Short mmCIF file of all heavy atoms in Angstrom, two decimals:
data_model
loop_
_atom_site.label_atom_id
_atom_site.label_comp_id
_atom_site.label_asym_id
_atom_site.label_seq_id
_atom_site.Cartn_x
_atom_site.Cartn_y
_atom_site.Cartn_z
N ASP C 1451 -1.42 -20.29 -1.57
CA ASP C 1451 -1.38 -19.85 -0.18
C ASP C 1451 -2.36 -18.71 0.12
O ASP C 1451 -2.46 -18.26 1.27
CB ASP C 1451 0.03 -19.40 0.19
CG ASP C 1451 1.04 -20.55 0.10
OD1 ASP C 1451 0.63 -21.70 0.35
OD2 ASP C 1451 2.21 -20.28 -0.24
N LEU C 1452 -3.08 -18.24 -0.90
CA LEU C 1452 -4.07 -17.20 -0.64
C LEU C 1452 -5.14 -17.74 0.30
O LEU C 1452 -5.70 -18.82 0.06
CB LEU C 1452 -4.73 -16.74 -1.94
CG LEU C 1452 -3.97 -15.73 -2.80
CD1 LEU C 1452 -4.73 -15.47 -4.09
CD2 LEU C 1452 -3.74 -14.43 -2.05
N PRO C 1453 -5.45 -17.05 1.38
CA PRO C 1453 -6.41 -17.57 2.36
C PRO C 1453 -7.85 -17.47 1.89
O PRO C 1453 -8.16 -16.74 0.93
CB PRO C 1453 -6.17 -16.68 3.58
CG PRO C 1453 -5.72 -15.38 2.99
CD PRO C 1453 -4.89 -15.75 1.79
N GLU C 1454 -8.73 -18.18 2.56
CA GLU C 1454 -10.16 -18.03 2.30
C GLU C 1454 -10.56 -16.58 2.54
O GLU C 1454 -10.14 -15.96 3.51
CB GLU C 1454 -10.96 -18.96 3.23
CG GLU C 1454 -10.75 -20.44 2.99
CD GLU C 1454 -11.47 -20.94 1.74
OE1 GLU C 1454 -12.51 -20.33 1.39
OE2 GLU C 1454 -10.99 -21.90 1.12
N GLY C 1455 -11.37 -16.05 1.64
CA GLY C 1455 -11.82 -14.67 1.80
C GLY C 1455 -10.75 -13.63 1.54
O GLY C 1455 -10.90 -12.47 1.94
N ALA C 1456 -9.68 -14.01 0.86
CA ALA C 1456 -8.59 -13.07 0.57
C ALA C 1456 -9.11 -11.88 -0.23
O ALA C 1456 -10.00 -12.01 -1.08
CB ALA C 1456 -7.48 -13.77 -0.19
N GLN C 1457 -8.55 -10.72 0.04
CA GLN C 1457 -8.91 -9.51 -0.70
C GLN C 1457 -7.97 -9.36 -1.89
O GLN C 1457 -6.74 -9.35 -1.72
CB GLN C 1457 -8.82 -8.28 0.19
CG GLN C 1457 -9.32 -7.00 -0.48
CD GLN C 1457 -9.24 -5.80 0.42
OE1 GLN C 1457 -8.15 -5.30 0.70
NE2 GLN C 1457 -10.39 -5.32 0.91
N VAL C 1458 -8.54 -9.25 -3.08
CA VAL C 1458 -7.75 -9.15 -4.31
C VAL C 1458 -8.10 -7.84 -5.00
O VAL C 1458 -9.28 -7.59 -5.31
CB VAL C 1458 -8.01 -10.34 -5.25
CG1 VAL C 1458 -7.19 -10.20 -6.53
CG2 VAL C 1458 -7.70 -11.66 -4.56
N ALA C 1459 -7.11 -7.00 -5.26
CA ALA C 1459 -7.32 -5.72 -5.93
C ALA C 1459 -7.14 -5.89 -7.43
O ALA C 1459 -6.19 -6.54 -7.89
CB ALA C 1459 -6.34 -4.68 -5.39
N ILE C 1460 -8.06 -5.30 -8.19
CA ILE C 1460 -8.01 -5.35 -9.65
C ILE C 1460 -8.28 -3.95 -10.19
O ILE C 1460 -8.81 -3.09 -9.47
CB ILE C 1460 -9.03 -6.35 -10.23
CG1 ILE C 1460 -10.47 -5.92 -9.89
CG2 ILE C 1460 -8.75 -7.76 -9.72
CD1 ILE C 1460 -11.54 -6.77 -10.57
N PRO C 1461 -7.94 -3.67 -11.47
CA PRO C 1461 -8.22 -2.34 -12.04
C PRO C 1461 -9.71 -2.06 -12.07
O PRO C 1461 -10.53 -2.96 -12.24
CB PRO C 1461 -7.64 -2.44 -13.46
CG PRO C 1461 -6.63 -3.54 -13.38
CD PRO C 1461 -7.19 -4.52 -12.40
N ASN C 1462 -10.07 -0.78 -11.95
CA ASN C 1462 -11.48 -0.41 -11.93
C ASN C 1462 -12.05 -0.03 -13.29
O ASN C 1462 -13.23 0.27 -13.40
CB ASN C 1462 -11.74 0.72 -10.93
CG ASN C 1462 -11.04 2.02 -11.30
OD1 ASN C 1462 -10.35 2.10 -12.32
ND2 ASN C 1462 -11.19 3.03 -10.47
N ASP C 1463 -11.21 -0.02 -14.36
CA ASP C 1463 -11.77 0.23 -15.68
C ASP C 1463 -12.21 -1.11 -16.27
O ASP C 1463 -11.62 -2.15 -15.98
CB ASP C 1463 -10.75 0.92 -16.59
CG ASP C 1463 -9.53 0.08 -16.88
OD1 ASP C 1463 -8.57 0.14 -16.09
OD2 ASP C 1463 -9.55 -0.66 -17.88
N PRO C 1464 -13.27 -1.12 -17.08
CA PRO C 1464 -13.88 -2.38 -17.51
C PRO C 1464 -12.94 -3.35 -18.22
O PRO C 1464 -12.99 -4.55 -17.95
CB PRO C 1464 -15.01 -1.92 -18.44
CG PRO C 1464 -15.35 -0.56 -17.98
CD PRO C 1464 -14.05 0.05 -17.54
N THR C 1465 -12.10 -2.84 -19.13
CA THR C 1465 -11.29 -3.77 -19.91
C THR C 1465 -10.15 -4.36 -19.10
O THR C 1465 -9.89 -5.56 -19.17
CB THR C 1465 -10.75 -3.10 -21.18
OG1 THR C 1465 -10.15 -1.86 -20.84
CG2 THR C 1465 -11.85 -2.85 -22.17
N ASN C 1466 -9.45 -3.53 -18.33
CA ASN C 1466 -8.35 -4.08 -17.54
C ASN C 1466 -8.85 -4.87 -16.33
O ASN C 1466 -8.24 -5.85 -15.92
CB ASN C 1466 -7.41 -2.95 -17.10
CG ASN C 1466 -6.52 -2.48 -18.24
OD1 ASN C 1466 -5.70 -3.23 -18.75
ND2 ASN C 1466 -6.71 -1.25 -18.67
N GLY C 1467 -9.99 -4.44 -15.78
CA GLY C 1467 -10.60 -5.23 -14.71
C GLY C 1467 -11.06 -6.57 -15.23
O GLY C 1467 -10.84 -7.62 -14.59
N GLY C 1468 -11.69 -6.57 -16.42
CA GLY C 1468 -12.10 -7.82 -17.03
C GLY C 1468 -10.92 -8.71 -17.36
O GLY C 1468 -10.96 -9.93 -17.18
N ARG C 1469 -9.85 -8.08 -17.84
CA ARG C 1469 -8.64 -8.82 -18.15
C ARG C 1469 -8.11 -9.51 -16.90
O ARG C 1469 -7.70 -10.68 -16.94
CB ARG C 1469 -7.59 -7.87 -18.73
CG ARG C 1469 -6.27 -8.49 -19.12
CD ARG C 1469 -5.32 -7.42 -19.64
NE ARG C 1469 -4.04 -7.95 -20.07
CZ ARG C 1469 -3.03 -7.21 -20.50
NH1 ARG C 1469 -3.17 -5.89 -20.55
NH2 ARG C 1469 -1.90 -7.77 -20.89
N ALA C 1470 -8.10 -8.80 -15.78
CA ALA C 1470 -7.62 -9.37 -14.52
C ALA C 1470 -8.46 -10.57 -14.10
O ALA C 1470 -7.93 -11.60 -13.66
CB ALA C 1470 -7.65 -8.30 -13.43
N LEU C 1471 -9.77 -10.47 -14.25
CA LEU C 1471 -10.65 -11.58 -13.89
C LEU C 1471 -10.42 -12.79 -14.80
O LEU C 1471 -10.45 -13.94 -14.35
CB LEU C 1471 -12.10 -11.14 -13.95
CG LEU C 1471 -12.52 -10.11 -12.89
CD1 LEU C 1471 -13.95 -9.64 -13.14
CD2 LEU C 1471 -12.38 -10.67 -11.48
N LEU C 1472 -10.19 -12.53 -16.09
CA LEU C 1472 -9.90 -13.62 -17.01
C LEU C 1472 -8.60 -14.34 -16.63
O LEU C 1472 -8.50 -15.57 -16.75
CB LEU C 1472 -9.82 -13.10 -18.44
CG LEU C 1472 -11.16 -12.68 -19.06
CD1 LEU C 1472 -10.94 -11.90 -20.35
CD2 LEU C 1472 -12.04 -13.91 -19.33
N ILE C 1473 -7.61 -13.56 -16.17
CA ILE C 1473 -6.36 -14.17 -15.72
C ILE C 1473 -6.62 -15.06 -14.51
O ILE C 1473 -6.13 -16.20 -14.43
CB ILE C 1473 -5.32 -13.08 -15.39
CG1 ILE C 1473 -4.89 -12.34 -16.65
CG2 ILE C 1473 -4.10 -13.67 -14.68
CD1 ILE C 1473 -4.07 -11.09 -16.39
N LEU C 1474 -7.39 -14.55 -13.56
CA LEU C 1474 -7.69 -15.33 -12.36
C LEU C 1474 -8.48 -16.59 -12.70
O LEU C 1474 -8.32 -17.64 -12.05
CB LEU C 1474 -8.43 -14.46 -11.35
CG LEU C 1474 -7.64 -13.27 -10.80
CD1 LEU C 1474 -8.52 -12.40 -9.91
CD2 LEU C 1474 -6.40 -13.74 -10.03
N GLN C 1475 -9.32 -16.50 -13.72
CA GLN C 1475 -10.02 -17.70 -14.17
C GLN C 1475 -9.04 -18.69 -14.78
O GLN C 1475 -9.10 -19.90 -14.49
CB GLN C 1475 -11.09 -17.34 -15.21
CG GLN C 1475 -11.80 -18.55 -15.79
CD GLN C 1475 -12.96 -18.18 -16.69
OE1 GLN C 1475 -14.11 -18.40 -16.35
NE2 GLN C 1475 -12.67 -17.62 -17.86
N ASP C 1476 -8.12 -18.21 -15.63
CA ASP C 1476 -7.12 -19.09 -16.23
C ASP C 1476 -6.27 -19.77 -15.16
O ASP C 1476 -5.81 -20.90 -15.35
CB ASP C 1476 -6.21 -18.30 -17.18
CG ASP C 1476 -6.89 -17.93 -18.48
OD1 ASP C 1476 -7.91 -18.57 -18.82
OD2 ASP C 1476 -6.42 -17.00 -19.15
N LEU C 1477 -6.08 -19.07 -14.05
CA LEU C 1477 -5.26 -19.62 -12.96
C LEU C 1477 -6.07 -20.53 -12.03
O LEU C 1477 -5.52 -21.08 -11.08
CB LEU C 1477 -4.65 -18.47 -12.15
CG LEU C 1477 -3.63 -17.61 -12.89
CD1 LEU C 1477 -3.27 -16.37 -12.09
CD2 LEU C 1477 -2.37 -18.42 -13.21
N GLY C 1478 -7.35 -20.68 -12.31
CA GLY C 1478 -8.17 -21.62 -11.56
C GLY C 1478 -8.76 -21.09 -10.27
O GLY C 1478 -9.30 -21.87 -9.47
#
Side-chain angles (χ1 to χ4, degrees):
D1451 297 329
L1452 279 176
E1454 294 285 332
Q1457 186 179 72
V1458 180
I1460 63 173
N1462 64 1
D1463 64 272
T1465 50
N1466 284 296
R1469 181 182 182 183
L1471 293 174
L1472 288 168
I1473 292 170
L1474 296 175
Q1475 176 174 250
D1476 286 341
L1477 294 170

